[in-house]
Amino acid sequence: MDNRRIYNRRIDVYCPSCAAAGIKRKLMEVDNDAKGVIYPYCKGCKKNVAVKLPISAEKHLR
């Protein structure tokens, strides 16, 4: 058995409403294994926005 540690990758979550306007506003970070719907507060939109997890890797890298 090797002594390597397994690290979960963290994914940055951005506001989809601000992203549509061309603003990259980071809301939070989540683990790569996170699932479900989260409602973080966006300071730019002044409201809670729905973000569905998991975020696909292809969308995240664009």
Side-chain angles (χ1 to χ4, degrees), residues 5-61:
R5 292 183 179 175
I6 299 173
Y7 293 101
N8 281 344
R9 288 187 41 190
R10 305 290 285 184
I11 296 176
D12 297 335
V13 176
Y14 297 97
C15 177
S17 300
C18 292
I23 302 168
K24 193 172 183 181
R25 189 178 309 273
K26 183 177 173 181
L27 299 176
M28 62 187 303
E29 292 181 354
V30 295
D31 287 334
N32 196 23
D33 299 332
K35 296 179 184 177
V37 179
I38 56 173
Y39 296 90
Y41 183 78
C42 177
K43 292 180 181 178
C45 297
K46 306 284 192 231
K47 63 179 180 178
N48 292 345
V49 293
V51 178
K52 187 175 179 183
L53 298 174
I55 300 172
S56 65
E58 295 85 26
K59 278 186 170 179
H60 180 67
L61 295 176

